[in-house]
Structure formats: C-alpha cells, structure tokens
Amino acid sequence: RKEVEQDPGPFNVPEGATVAFNCTYSNSASQSFFWYRQDCRKEPKLLMSVYSSGNEDGRFTAQLNRASQYISLLIRDSKLSDSATYLCVVKRGKNSGYSTLTFGKGTMLLVSP
Amino acid sequence: EAGVAQSPRYKIIEKRQSVAFWCNPISGHATLYWYQQILGQGPKLLIQFQNNGVVDDSQLPKDRFSAERLKGVDSTLKIQPAKLEDSAVYLCASSLDLRVAASGTDTQYFGPGTRLTVL
C-alpha cells in the first residue's frame, strides 16, 4: 500500500461547482498534513496546512480524520483559475530527528466555463 | 525575496551520458531537498540536506546519482550515466528547518525544476 493515496482524477467541473478531493495515508505516526497545488509545468506550492479541527481559507476547506487516516480538501464556487493538480502531502518524523514529506500522486482538477 | 533558483531549465541528453543540475536555495534556508517528479506522479524525495550534511538519501540510486552541498548553500545533483527512465523533472526545494519539532518553519519552497529528457 502506498504511503499517500489520492483520488485518481481528473475531475472535470463547471465554474461555480463544489468539488472534494480525498486522500488517505498509511503511516499512523504521520504528524502534519498539507495540500499543495501544482499548475501545469510549474512547481508545487503550498496551498494550506490541514489541522485536526479542520480549517478554512476562503473557498477552500481542509479536514483531517486521524482515526480514519483520511484528509480532504473541499473547494467551493470553483473558478477557472482553480484548474491545477492538487497534491496531498504527509509529514512524519524519522529517527534522525528530522522529518520527511511524502507526496501523493496528485488529483487534477479542470474547471470549465 | 528571491525564490529557489535552478539551472538549467531544460536538458536533453542521450542515454549513458552525464548531466548535472544546480540549485540555489532561499537565503537562510538550512534544509535543501532534491526531488524527482516523473510525469503523472507526485514528487519523490531523492536526497535531503541539513546545511552541508546528508539527512536522508535512502531513495537516491547511488550507483548513478550523486549530490553535494559543500558549503551548505547551493547544491548540485549529478546523474552518471543516465538511463531512459531518468526522464523527469528534477525539483529542488528548501525550507528553514524540517526537524521533527519544527512547526511553521518547515514549509518547503520549490524551484521551477529542470526538465530532463533522456533519449
């Protein structure tokens, strides 16, 4: 089983739609969770961190369920500019005292007029 | 603030040739990472440096890949000899700190990447 698994996508939605992405992780020792956004032929950029209590940033809402080892990202009122690949990212510590980030495969979102 | 710089942006080589990539992280960032991103996949960590020391190189194919960060600032990643399956985007990233206890300082900032095509 892969350490981080995401919906395969792509998701094709019209402008204004609400879309949700799901992600599961296999290592229960994982500490922190993030969503990164990657535009076509560009580098990944941090979209938001994910907290146990859930967190919202404008039209974006992230949720974490540690018991189910499940992370989600909800985008409301989709815009054309939301078209991108969304990467689920998990941070866990290592014996060295440092952490590592593991990226999911990404879910592509295409928002059409 | 200047971001992570990488060069070259594109490279086309034939299999069995050698290639090197360069990265300059954000000023003051102690942690530097090299990732390989194959088309349709998420970035996969190859090597992680804390200052000039290697923290994690468990996924680096050491028979052909090498990396160094001699002065704890910029870094080079080398492939020698290249194989067809090495065709990918090589991303460099940096962060202030990625120790286990760090929080708020461990956001990774990525460079634009080097797109390598091996023919």
Side-chain angles (χ1 to χ4, degrees), chain B:
Chain B
E1 180 182 272
V4 177
Q6 289 189 247
S7 67
R9 293 294 309 277
Y10 304 91
K11 191 73 178 179
I12 300 174
I13 61 172
E14 294 189 348
K15 60 183 180 184
R16 291 188 288 273
Q17 285 187 320
S18 301
V19 65
F21 313 128
W22 174 83
C23 171
N24 189 266
I26 292 173
S27 178
H29 280 196
T31 314
L32 184 147
Y33 318 78
W34 282 103
Y35 288 88
Q36 180 193 59
Q37 187 172 23
I38 292 171
L39 188 65
Q41 304 287 324
K44 172 187 145 188
L45 180 69
L46 293 175
I47 188 166
Q48 178 178 335
F49 292 94
Q50 182 75 10
N51 297 308
N52 60 349
V54 175
V55 169
D56 184 356
D57 63 358
S58 56
Q59 298 193 89
L60 187 73
K62 298 181 187 64
D63 58 334
R64 297 183 301 105
F65 286 65
S66 64
E68 58 184 16
R69 194 184 183 200
L70 292 174
K71 296 182 180 178
V73 181
D74 56 354
S75 174
T76 55
L77 175 70
K78 295 179 183 176
I79 308 175
Q80 181 179 6
K83 292 186 175 181
L84 296 176
E85 59 261 36
D86 298 333
S87 294
V89 176
Y90 290 84
L91 293 161
C92 179
S94 70
S95 66
L96 272 171
D97 197 326
L98 201 68
R99 284 174 290 179
V100 171
S103 63
T105 60
D106 56 1
T107 299
Q108 290 191 22
Y109 298 88
F110 284 82
T114 297
R115 187 173 297 273
L116 173 68
T117 302
V118 182
L119 303 175

Side-chain angles (χ1 to χ4, degrees), chain A residues 9-93:
Chain A
F11 283 36
N12 286 280
V13 303
E15 268 187 295
T18 296
V19 60
F21 301 131
N22 301 313
C23 173
T24 57
Y25 60 96
S26 60
N27 192 326
S28 59
S30 299
Q31 303 161 304
S32 309
F33 309 89
F34 311 90
W35 286 99
Y36 274 68
R37 170 192 168 129
Q38 186 171 25
D39 291 294
C40 187
R41 292 183 169 265
K42 299 284 188 181
E43 70 272 23
K45 292 184 179 178
L46 178 65
L47 178 65
M48 59 197 301
S49 301
V50 188
Y51 303 116
S52 297
S53 54
N55 49 301
E56 191 174 303
D57 182 2
R59 297 181 293 107
F60 297 82
T61 301
Q63 298 272 359
L64 167 64
N65 184 322
R66 284 189 183 270
S68 303
Q69 297 182 195
Y70 168 87
I71 307 157
S72 66
L73 176 68
L74 183 78
I75 305 176
R76 291 181 300 278
D77 188 23
S78 299
K79 311 290 185 191
L80 295 176
S81 56
D82 294 333
S83 296
T85 295
Y86 291 84
L87 299 160
C88 177
V89 185
V90 171
K91 171 185 168 183
R92 62 175 172 83

